[in-house]
Amino acid sequence: GKEKMRLDYFEIEGGIEKLLIEYKDIFDLLDDISQQLLQGVVTTIDEYKSILNMSTGAYGSLQPLYSLAVAKKENAELHYYVEKKRELEGKGEKYTAASLDKEASESVAEIRRIRNILEAYVNISEKQIITAQTQLKQMANDYKFKPVEQI
């Protein structure tokens, strides 16, 4: 199912690139919304509602994948560390925890890269949601207090 697909991104060769391609539309959508907010072209209640819906949908797609990336990175790093330590001890070779840490960290560079990208877009979607909610609340208050003849 869907969970298996998500896992594949971190398990298969070229999985990271595949993920970036398959989620490009969501990344582009969030970038577009950021540009609209930056340029100040979002002004109506309907536009903010639309942003709220799109950003919430994007968040829902990216957050589970981000959580998975965090877990996969930590697990892969720990696994590398433990296996390498066992291997070196088996051979009677000297090693330092710092050098093992560095090697383990380097071994998950690809997963870290995708985790960082996903983290950035999850954060962007969260900020957009908060902005849209705040603006909608403000607009609702402004609307409530308008004199009748202006409505």
Side-chain angles (χ1 to χ4, degrees), residues 20-35:
L20 291 175
I21 292 163
E22 289 183 13
Y23 282 80
K24 185 183 187 308
D25 289 349
I26 293 177
F27 300 147
D28 288 348
L29 172 72
L30 293 171
D31 288 338
D32 288 346
I33 292 170
S34 291
Q35 278 306 307

Side-chain angles (χ1 to χ4, degrees), residues 6-149:
R6 285 193 181 127
L7 216 57
D8 286 349
Y9 293 121
F10 304 101
E11 305 292 345
I12 61 171
E13 192 65 40
I16 307 296
E17 276 59 43
K18 189 174 178 210
L19 185 149
L20 291 175
I21 292 163
E22 289 183 13
Y23 282 80
K24 185 183 187 308
D25 289 349
I26 293 177
F27 300 147
D28 288 348
L29 172 72
L30 293 171
D31 288 338
D32 288 346
I33 292 170
S34 291
Q35 278 306 307
Q36 291 171 32
L37 292 170
L38 188 61
Q39 293 162 7
V41 295
V42 184
T43 55
T44 68
I45 287 177
D46 284 344
E47 287 168 338
Y48 279 112
K49 280 182 182 171
S50 177
I51 284 175
L52 185 56
N53 289 335
M54 290 188 288
S55 298
T56 301
Y59 177 87
S61 290
L62 297 177
Q63 177 58 40
L65 202 54
Y66 169 62
S67 296
L68 187 61
V70 169
K72 288 298 294 181
K73 183 216 157 265
E74 288 169 4
N75 291 344
E77 203 164 3
L78 182 64
H79 179 77
Y80 182 95
Y81 187 98
V82 169
E83 289 302 309
K84 191 71 176 179
K85 184 178 173 188
R86 187 178 296 141
E87 177 192 321
L88 292 171
E89 285 172 350
K91 293 179 185 171
E93 291 182 24
K94 296 260 183 271
Y95 64 90
T96 65
S99 70
L100 273 186
D101 280 338
K102 188 176 183 325
E103 267 187 57
S105 177
E106 285 167 4
S107 77
V108 294
E110 273 297 282
I111 299 177
R112 182 182 306 103
R113 185 169 74 95
I114 197 62
R115 183 212 57 195
N116 291 348
I117 291 168
L118 289 167
E119 182 178 26
Y121 280 104
V122 164
N123 288 338
I124 289 167
S125 67
E126 287 176 320
K127 297 292 182 284
Q128 290 174 355
I129 289 165
I130 292 166
T131 299
Q133 287 172 334
T134 304
Q135 293 291 358
L136 286 167
K137 203 172 291 175
Q138 185 62 52
M139 289 168 131
N141 286 338
D142 291 350
Y143 189 77
K144 248 193 309 213
F145 295 113
K146 272 190 179 162
V148 175
E149 67 272 8

